Amino acid sequence: MAGRADELVIAGMKPSTVASHSDSYLRLHRGVTFILLVDSFIVLLMIANVTYVFTPNAQNGIVGVSAILLLVNFLAYRKRSPMAYWSGGGVIGFAGVIFGFLALANLFSGGFLMAFLFIWAMFGSGRRALSHFHPGYKSAYLGQDESLPALELEAGEMLAACPHCMAVLAIRPDLLNPKDNCPYCKLPLVSKELASRFEEE
């Protein structure tokens, strides 16, 4: 797998689709943009709930300004403005943190169903926020390189998604071990439990 770490496709994409279309990252951008819209509403709702301690006029002013800033950020991100790249990812990441706190609150209060939903939303937002650290996504967002090279698998290789950041890599399953890390999120590609299970077999 040496020298192959830069060959990445978006999780969920068919290899044939990747080879025939050059806007794979831009389709991911559309999905991230939708998540940004939903998460912006969540952040605005939390701001409204936190500012209840202020006077009604002050609360309305804070919520109004926040709504305008979040809307401008969303519109700029949708148009792939360079200034909105990290602020968009920041809003999504912040919403993920909010989902995490809400999940903990529901766990402690016994609302296990809501806790599960908030945990699911937290990981969803977290994965979308992590995509901003991928150089391919950033290049496509900024219009520097919107093409994705065709991925040619070598003998014995297959496509597999990183269980943490969902980057899809060309890997050799027979050579993977717990010491192998994803070249993007730096987390293990194989858990120790899974490796020990195959060792026992």
Side-chain angles (χ1 to χ4, degrees):
M1 295 190 300
R4 305 270 290 158
D6 58 335
E7 296 189 2
L8 175 145
V9 297
I10 305 304
M13 295 290 294
K14 296 179 180 178
S16 58
T17 304
V18 174
S20 59
H21 296 281
S22 62
D23 62 345
S24 303
Y25 282 104
L26 300 185
R27 270 180 278 167
L28 174 63
H29 171 258
R30 287 194 289 270
V32 174
T33 301
F34 176 75
I35 297 298
L36 175 60
L37 177 63
V38 174
D39 285 354
S40 295
F41 280 116
I42 300 298
V43 170
L44 185 62
L45 181 62
M46 292 306 299
I47 291 173
N49 288 335
V50 169
T51 57
Y52 75 94
V53 296
F54 298 104
T55 63
N57 287 337
Q59 183 182 21
N60 291 338
I62 294 172
V63 171
V65 171
S66 299
I68 292 172
L69 291 175
L70 289 168
L71 179 61
V72 169
N73 181 62
F74 165 74
L75 294 174
Y77 189 88
R78 188 175 65 173
K79 293 182 178 179
R80 293 191 287 146
S81 168
M83 295 180 63
Y85 184 75
W86 288 112
S87 59
V91 170
I92 296 173
F94 183 61
V97 172
I98 292 174
F99 290 138
F101 281 119
L102 292 175
L104 286 175
N106 279 275
L107 279 175
F108 289 129
S109 64
F112 297 110
L113 177 59
M114 290 303 296
F116 170 78
L117 293 175
F118 282 125
I119 290 172
W120 178 77
M122 177 186 69
F123 280 110
S125 292
R127 286 174 178 168
R128 296 299 188 182
L130 282 175
S131 65
H132 289 76
F133 292 97
H134 189 274
Y137 179 69
K138 185 176 182 180
S139 295
Y141 177 95
L142 298 176
Q144 296 171 350
D145 181 16
E146 298 185 1
S147 62
L148 191 64
L151 186 63
E152 297 181 5
L153 295 177
E154 297 176 359
E157 286 186 335
M158 64 178 290
L159 297 178
C162 169
H164 305 285
C165 69
M166 300 308 293
V168 179
L169 307 167
I171 58 113
R172 289 280 301 272
D174 54 328
L175 298 179
L176 278 179
N177 64 67
K179 295 181 181 179
D180 290 327
N181 295 329
C182 173
Y184 297 99
C185 68
K186 308 303 180 186
L187 294 174
L189 291 171
V190 180
S191 66
K192 293 181 180 178
E193 294 78 10
L194 183 60
S196 61
R197 188 186 311 170
F198 279 98
E199 288 176 0
E200 291 173 0
E201 295 177 357

